[in-house]
Amino acid sequence: MRIKQFKAESKKLLDMMINSIYTHKEIFLRELISNASDAIDKLYYQSLSNNAGGLNRSEFKIRIETDKDSRILKISDNGCGMTRDELENNLGTIAKSGSLEFKNENEKAEDIDIIGQFGVGFYSAFMVSDKVVVESRAFGSDEAFRWISRGAEGYTIEPCEKDTNGTVVMLHIKEKTEDENYDEFLDEYEIKRIVRKYSDYIRYPIVMDCETRRLKEGTEDEYETIVEEKALNSMVPIWKKNKSEVTQEEYLSFYKDKFFDYEEPARIIHSKTEGNATYSALIYIPKRAPYDYYTREFEKGLQLYSSGVLIMEKCPDLIPDYFSFAKGLVDSEDLSLNISREMLQHDRQLKIIAKSLEKKIGAELKKLMTEDREKYEEFFRAFGLQLKFGVYDKFGLNKDSLKDLIMFVSSHENKLATLAEYVGRMKDDQKTIYYACGETVDKIELLPQSELVRDKGYEILYLTDNVDEFALKMLDEYDGKKFANICADELDIDSDDDKERLKEKNESGKDMLGYMQKSLDDKVKAVRFTNKLKKHPVCLTSEGNLSLEMEKVINSMPTDEKVRAQLILEINANHPIADKLLNLYESDKETVSEYSKILFAQARLIEGMPVENPTELCSLVCKLMTK
Ligand code: ADP
């Protein structure tokens, strides 16, 4: 018999499959089951549109059989089948132009990318088989044909016997090699697992003969093992059901089973959307972050189904990074299993779905915040960091949709507060939203600058995460109110008199303050008197866009680029030390210079920064003690 060659493109794809190093080879079963299901769909549809009648939907099924001795895995369907020409055309020429173009453009891209992301069709059978035999009889025809191929060398077609319409695909499973063991594809339990994993929702029963032990009839304790045909798939996905048909129990057990969380989620979103994009989605918002959530290893993504068939385990394009905690799935008829010329279009479809999902998740989180504040705070403690990153990320592109979801601990009862709540509590004369940064709330409360602001009755947001201040700077304002870092910005909370007095004091102390700055070897940009301190003698502030906290964050990043905030040493104008310094400057400049160093070191310590020269500081303090 003449061996026919595969068409060039098909051969390329076939080669890829045969030599695949892809680790999820099991997906071949998904592909074959999906073909079988399509073939049944086709026949069913034909019968409906021809008014042929006679075809009973309940008789359709997909059958799987394994034979360990002959190493054959069989997948049969009673669908439309293929004529000789169809066998020739459909299996001999598979124009996967989309995938091949993709492969050519990305010559270096591993096979994994392409196999993992798209349906690869019938040829994926060659990932696990060294010979594939397809017997098929087209509906309405009385002839059947056998297609045989051992892969690269080509294929043959010959007539064969087959009683009923449909197709049988027989895979001769590869022998074990040093690196790979294909035996699992002949194992009943493995097959069941794979079917449940990928094809649970196929709309026709996928059946297999399974051994069951049961009580022997007429006896009370005698058992017998019988072989029964059992369906492996549940056929109806819960996301395709109406909300009213699904119990809370079902939602939860589905979540725990599928997404490996031992806890209940904070929120469940189940929606069916029609319009620009038609899709069903079942999204869960977990309560707690998985252990690897804030690491590079974490992969975001939702499962992607096309008409009930899983086509991608983790599709990252479905959700933005700031909602990467969402788990769940999307099922859409608008997406095809295959890579094809329409790939780009699918991409666009995917984007529309992603946009719509993003809105839904945002709205749901807002709802959670108002309906169950405690739960929202629990969620926020787990994932708030990610939301704040979202505000800052992409130059603030998404800040508007996220600004009402973020919270900070505030000096008002030391509880989490939203920006809206803060603004709602602002005093009549308050123009600015005050915040302060530090490692912990306790440390921030001890900052000398915070005393006076709180004394005036103004609330302060305590920023303890690295990203916090960056996020607020990106927001720039909320509800028309600017943000002010109480350690860096001019706070404008003094009365006019106070301001005037301070100005005079700075004016008259100019020489002394300049001398102090010089004594500090220009480590600070200026030294000046301030009204912003209550009890404390000194503090460090920064000028310009870079605060001290931001300096710390940026410098802790593993890059060579180091930045320096422009520091100002501020001395409490109303503290005895102020006059002491002014007096000393007249009589004993040397001591003013030493005091400058001590005060600078104190200010650094209060800010949580290391003292640059501890030995010098210690001897200066000792000198003072023994004076
Ligand atoms: P796809 O299913 O994406 O078109 P495949 O490579 O999986 O690509 O299959 C190629 C073609 O072979 C299908 O389009 C279909 O026409 C035909 N085919 C495959 N399996 C079957 C089957 N079980 N019954 C009938 N036709 C089939």
Side-chain angles (χ1 to χ4, degrees):
M1 197 179 306
R2 196 167 75 86
I3 293 188
K4 299 193 179 185
Q5 296 298 311
F6 286 102
K7 296 270 156 55
E9 284 210 320
S10 307
K11 193 167 179 316
K12 259 200 229 172
L13 189 63
L14 196 62
D15 280 341
M16 256 175 71
M17 291 301 148
I18 293 168
N19 302 312
S20 160
I21 49 159
Y22 186 48
T23 42
H24 303 288
K25 292 190 161 65
E26 63 191 27
I27 57 125
F28 79 89
L29 193 58
R30 167 193 83 183
E31 300 293 316
L32 298 181
I33 289 175
S34 152
N35 280 350
S37 164
D38 287 349
I40 298 176
D41 273 346
K42 228 184 263 176
L43 178 58
Y44 185 59
Y45 180 76
Q46 271 171 13
S47 77
L48 290 179
S49 47
N50 294 346
N51 252 344
L55 284 180
N56 189 346
R57 206 183 147 93
S58 65
E59 280 167 21
F60 288 128
K61 63 180 161 192
I62 298 161
R63 218 181 127 72
I64 300 182
E65 287 159 85
T66 55
D67 183 341
K68 283 192 176 140
D69 298 333
S70 57
R71 295 189 72 78
I72 290 178
L73 171 64
K74 231 194 240 185
I75 297 114
S76 356
D77 64 72
N78 49 359
C80 63
M82 283 177 274
T83 62
R84 184 184 189 120
D85 281 354
E86 281 167 343
L87 273 174
E88 172 95 46
N89 293 331
N90 295 345
L91 304 185
T93 332
I94 298 182
K96 297 281 179 189
S97 47
S99 62
L100 291 168
E101 273 160 26
F102 175 89
K103 179 71 179 165
N104 289 340
E105 280 166 23
N106 302 275
E107 222 30 86
K108 277 189 222 111
E110 302 271 354
D111 296 352
I112 295 168
D113 296 335
I114 189 169
I115 299 172
Q117 293 189 18
F118 309 104
V120 280
F122 174 76
Y123 285 173
S124 60
F126 286 97
M127 289 198 290
V128 300
S129 342
D130 40 29
K131 178 177 165 190
V132 178
V133 177
V134 181
E135 291 177 357
S136 196
R137 179 169 151 183
F139 183 74
S141 160
D142 46 16
E143 294 174 313
F145 294 91
R146 182 182 295 127
W147 179 99
I148 307 172
S149 172
R150 290 177 184 278
E153 66 197 45
Y155 60 92
T156 57
I157 296 182
E158 64 194 23
C160 70
E161 289 296 316
K162 189 173 184 317
D163 295 340
T164 51
N165 62 282
T167 304
V168 187
V169 178
M170 282 166 275
L171 308 181
H172 292 249
I173 299 295
K174 287 185 193 176
E175 293 285 348
K176 212 192 307 203
T177 67
E178 238 169 60
D179 315 316
E180 305 249 22
N181 186 352
Y182 301 89
D183 292 355
E184 62 187 282
F185 303 121
L186 294 164
D187 181 85
E188 187 183 314
Y189 292 98
E190 270 302 296
I191 297 287
K192 276 190 208 164
R193 182 189 65 81
I194 301 171
V195 170
R196 284 201 191 110
K197 179 164 176 196
Y198 296 104
S199 314
D200 192 48
Y201 312 110
I202 290 286
R203 293 181 300 264
Y204 306 101
I206 302 164
V207 302
M208 191 156 99
D209 285 342
C210 298
E211 285 189 353
T212 349
R213 251 165 78 81
R214 66 166 192 198
L215 212 54
K216 215 169 177 175
E217 225 170 293
T219 69
E220 271 175 23
D221 51 5
E222 260 186 79
Y223 284 85
E224 61 183 353
T225 303
I226 55 146
V227 176
E228 258 182 334
E229 191 180 84
K230 276 199 177 151
L232 308 182
N233 56 330
S234 73
M235 288 187 277
V236 190
I238 83 170
W239 63 90
K240 284 274 174 80
K241 296 181 184 169
N242 288 324
K243 268 190 204 173
S244 57
E245 295 171 318
V246 188
T247 63
Q248 188 68 7
E249 217 72 291
E250 279 178 284
Y251 279 132
L252 295 180
S253 73
F254 182 79
Y255 173 65
K256 289 179 185 169
D257 273 11
K258 273 236 156 178
F259 302 105
F260 314 109
D261 197 346
Y262 58 92
E263 267 191 303
E264 291 184 5
R267 204 79 176 173
I268 303 170
I269 310 173
H270 181 189
S271 84
K272 294 183 186 181
T273 308
E274 281 175 20
N276 274 348
T278 301
Y279 69 92
S280 317
L282 181 54
I283 311 283
Y284 294 88
I285 296 174
K287 253 190 217 157
R288 240 170 266 243
Y291 71 96
D292 62 348
Y293 186 65
Y294 289 106
T295 70
R296 272 167 211 272
E297 275 67 51
F298 181 79
E299 277 178 77
K300 65 162 184 166
L302 300 178
Q303 289 189 335
L304 183 60
Y305 285 80
S306 148
S307 306
V309 182
L310 179 64
I311 55 175
M312 201 169 170
E313 187 70 50
K314 268 194 181 164
C315 177
D317 305 325
L318 281 170
I319 33 170
D321 283 344
Y322 46 88
F323 290 157
S324 57
F325 44 79
K327 295 181 175 187
L329 56 91
V330 170
D331 189 353
S332 173
E333 287 154 26
D334 300 348
L335 301 161
S336 138
L337 248 184
N338 305 301
I339 353 152
S340 59
R341 270 165 239 103
E342 291 92 35
M343 218 170 93
L344 255 181
Q345 185 210 324
H346 294 158
D347 234 337
R348 207 179 313 132
Q349 207 59 29
L350 209 69
K351 277 191 191 126
I352 297 173
I353 296 178
K355 257 270 115 30
S356 138
L357 272 181
E358 181 187 334
K359 281 210 192 98
K360 286 203 171 103
I361 297 175
E364 200 62 31
L365 289 175
K366 266 186 207 141
K367 225 158 114 196
L368 179 63
M369 188 194 271
T370 44
E371 286 174 6
D372 191 342
R373 175 61 175 242
E374 213 175 296
K375 217 180 215 181
Y376 186 81
E377 290 191 7
E378 192 179 359
F379 154 81
F380 190 81
R381 266 181 231 112
F383 301 109
L385 200 55
Q386 196 66 11
L387 297 179
K388 292 184 285 190
F389 269 118
V391 170
Y392 168 71
D393 202 20
K394 308 221 163 69
F395 302 102
L397 184 70
N398 303 297
K399 62 181 183 182
D400 283 331
S401 46
L402 294 172
K403 66 182 178 200
D404 283 313
L405 293 175
I406 58 174
M407 305 205 263
F408 302 94
V409 173
S410 104
S411 57
H412 179 79
E413 297 181 346
N414 276 12
K415 282 190 190 145
L416 283 171
T418 63
L419 295 172
E421 286 161 353
Y422 182 104
V423 170
R425 287 193 289 256
M426 274 169 79
K427 299 196 97 181
D428 292 343
D429 63 341
Q430 188 183 347
K431 299 182 201 78
T432 323
I433 300 174
Y434 297 109
Y435 69 87
C437 310
E439 253 173 83
T440 61
V441 167
D442 290 348
K443 283 194 184 167
I444 302 178
E445 283 190 318
L446 292 175
L447 282 178
Q449 293 93 324
S450 72
E451 229 182 336
L452 204 67
V453 181
R454 272 181 295 156
D455 258 23
K456 294 243 174 199
Y458 299 147
E459 192 173 334
I460 304 172
L461 297 176
Y462 295 151
L463 276 49
T464 49
D465 284 323
N466 283 349
V467 69
D468 289 352
E469 194 175 16
F470 292 88
L472 289 191
K473 293 245 172 202
M474 194 54 86
L475 275 180
D476 189 45
E477 50 92 20
Y478 181 87
D479 198 18
K481 319 277 188 302
K482 293 271 179 194
F483 296 100
N485 182 341
I486 61 164
C487 300
D489 300 308
E490 270 318 311
L491 296 187
D492 199 23
I493 50 179
D494 292 345
S495 69
D496 288 347
D497 277 358
D498 288 344
K499 275 188 208 160
E500 196 50 42
R501 236 175 287 133
L502 181 65
K503 204 172 152 197
E504 276 165 24
K505 193 153 196 167
N506 269 313
E507 203 51 48
S508 60
K510 210 167 89 191
D511 288 350
M512 192 277 296
L513 294 167
Y515 175 77
M516 284 182 78
Q517 192 243 353
K518 289 248 145 47
S519 321
L520 293 173
D521 301 328
D522 294 324
K523 280 179 198 130
V524 296
K525 206 183 139 219
V527 181
R528 64 181 170 226
F529 290 122
T530 184
N531 273 342
K532 70 169 73 140
L533 297 173
K534 203 178 157 202
K535 285 195 293 254
H536 292 73
V538 279
C539 71
L540 265 184
T541 59
S542 60
E543 217 169 54
N545 277 328
L546 198 69
S547 75
L548 282 173
E549 276 307 309
M550 292 166 93
E551 175 193 300
K552 274 187 239 164
V553 173
I554 294 175
N555 289 349
S556 68
M557 290 177 186
T559 56
D560 288 340
E561 202 178 323
K562 297 292 170 219
V563 296
R564 255 189 188 284
Q566 296 198 324
L567 300 182
I568 312 285
L569 179 64
E570 299 201 82
I571 298 164
N572 187 346
N574 310 307
H575 192 281
I577 191 72
D579 291 330
K580 175 94 192 211
L581 285 164
L582 286 169
N583 290 336
L584 269 175
Y585 184 65
E586 303 300 327
S587 54
D588 181 3
K589 283 200 174 122
E590 177 67 17
T591 306
V592 173
S593 165
E594 288 171 6
Y595 281 15
S596 305
K597 287 177 184 154
I598 297 175
L599 289 170
F600 180 58
Q602 285 181 351
R604 286 183 66 94
L605 283 172
I606 292 173
E607 274 298 330
M609 296 156 76
V611 171
E612 287 179 343
N613 190 339
T615 327
E616 186 189 33
L617 174 68
C618 291
S619 45
L620 283 174
V621 172
C622 228
K623 190 171 164 192
L624 198 65
M625 291 161 89
T626 49
K627 227 174 198 170

